């Protein structure tokens, strides 16, 4: 059941506002059109063809198996705050908005295949990359069909357009970036996530080249 309670995004047809419900609806469309569970369709159409052997869409088992990264989340029971291990959680509550479990290597393979055109024909790639402003993120960002285009300012002042997105469930957070032609990706996974905005942290831009050429890194501090 989809609820109408809670805050709503401003009704502006030329701006994007993120909501997990959009991905839940996409899963419902998959189910209605194919007659199959989205987990089965995604496995047969994406995981298997790309050889993503360490990626899955769990539908019943909430546990992680094998050599996995433990996830943590701060739990508040006033006046106490504790950091609890949250590797096992019911990710099925996110369904098509976040139930997939994967590795950085498999994610890298997926996004390289996506942006090099292995997954979608040209017409669908054009729709994927057709964007509208995304003010929820930052002034330079624009939202496509599940991907965000951002103009990244490097430490040397160069501006480079890249594609990005994030993902998170309790205890885990991921972030990926890809250049336009899919030849280069950067991925990150963190094992602490409270599903709350403005988690403390800081980052800095690194020197980069819009052609993709490697540039010398800053000298280490002394």
């Amino acid at each position: 059941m989809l609820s109408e309670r809670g805050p709503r995004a401003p009704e502006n047809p030329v701006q994007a506002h993120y909501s997990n419900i959009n991905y839940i609806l996409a899963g419902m469309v998959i189910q209605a059109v194919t007659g199959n569970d989205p987990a089965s369709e995604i496995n047969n159409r994406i995981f298997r063809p790309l050889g993503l052997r360490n990626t899955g869409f769990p539908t019943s088992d909430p546990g992680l198996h094998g050599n996995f990264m433990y996830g943590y989340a701060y739990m508040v029971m006033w006046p106490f705050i504790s950091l609890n291990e949250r590797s096992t959680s019911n990710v099925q509550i996110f369904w098509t908005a976040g139930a997939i479990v994967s590795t950085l290597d498999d994610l890298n393979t997926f996004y390289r295949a996506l942006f090099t055109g292995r997954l979608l024909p040209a017409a669908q790639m054009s729709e994927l990359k057709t964007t509208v402003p995304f003010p929820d993120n930052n002034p330079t960002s624009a939202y496509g069909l599940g991907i965000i285009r951002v103009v990244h300012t490097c430490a040397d002042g160069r501006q480079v357009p890249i594609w990005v997105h994030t993902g998170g469930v309790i205890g885990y957070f991921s972030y990926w970036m890809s250049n336009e032609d899919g030849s280069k990706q950067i991925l990150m996974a963190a094992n602490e996530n409270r599903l709350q905005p403005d988690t403390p942290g800081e980052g800095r831009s690194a020197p980069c080249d819009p052609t993709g050429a490697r540039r010398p890194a800053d000298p280490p501090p002394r």
Side-chain angles (χ1 to χ4, degrees):
M1 178 181 294
L2 301 179
S3 174
E4 293 191 4
R5 295 182 179 180
R8 294 186 179 184
E11 295 183 2
N12 188 334
V14 295
Q15 289 186 353
H17 297 274
Y18 181 86
S19 173
N20 276 348
I21 291 178
N22 295 330
Y23 292 88
I24 299 297
L25 291 173
M28 295 172 68
V29 170
I30 292 173
Q31 200 163 32
V33 171
T34 67
N36 299 320
D37 188 88
S40 175
E41 289 295 323
I42 293 171
N43 184 61
N44 293 332
R45 295 171 182 261
I46 299 176
F47 297 167
R48 286 182 179 176
L50 294 183
L52 306 182
R53 298 180 179 84
N54 295 308
T55 300
F57 191 132
T59 57
S60 58
D61 184 0
L64 298 177
H65 305 280
N67 184 22
F68 63 88
M69 181 171 66
Y70 287 88
Y72 298 88
Y74 283 98
M75 307 302 292
V76 179
M77 296 183 65
W78 188 258
F80 304 103
I81 301 177
S82 62
L83 184 64
N84 293 355
E85 194 259 311
R86 303 288 294 178
S87 302
T88 300
S89 63
N90 186 10
V91 295
Q92 289 81 14
I93 63 175
F94 295 96
W95 202 43
T96 46
I100 292 175
V101 178
S102 189
T103 64
L104 290 180
D105 285 341
D106 275 6
L107 280 174
N108 195 49
T109 298
F110 169 76
Y111 287 114
R112 184 179 296 118
L114 178 64
F115 286 99
T116 56
R118 286 182 59 193
L119 279 179
L120 300 175
Q124 292 182 353
M125 281 298 296
S126 178
E127 290 187 24
L128 183 81
K129 292 183 175 182
T130 299
T131 62
V132 295
F134 187 38
D136 290 356
N137 201 47
N138 71 55
T140 72
S141 65
Y143 214 105
L145 294 181
I147 57 176
I148 304 171
R149 186 180 186 272
V150 176
V151 177
H152 176 72
T153 302
C154 301
D156 61 1
R158 297 173 184 241
Q159 293 190 321
V160 183
I162 57 176
W163 294 97
V164 306
H165 213 290
T166 63
V169 295
I170 298 174
Y172 295 96
F173 182 83
S174 63
Y175 186 92
W176 64 265
M177 296 182 285
S178 177
N179 64 345
E180 184 69 33
D181 64 7
S183 60
K184 295 177 177 63
Q185 289 79 40
I186 297 175
L187 295 94
M188 176 205 76
N191 63 339
E192 190 274 308
N193 187 30
R194 291 168 281 170
L195 294 181
Q196 296 178 351
D198 301 323
T199 298
E202 61 178 2
R204 61 185 297 272
S205 298
C208 62
D209 192 303
T211 65
R214 180 174 295 178
R215 297 176 58 82
D218 294 339
R222 296 182 178 179

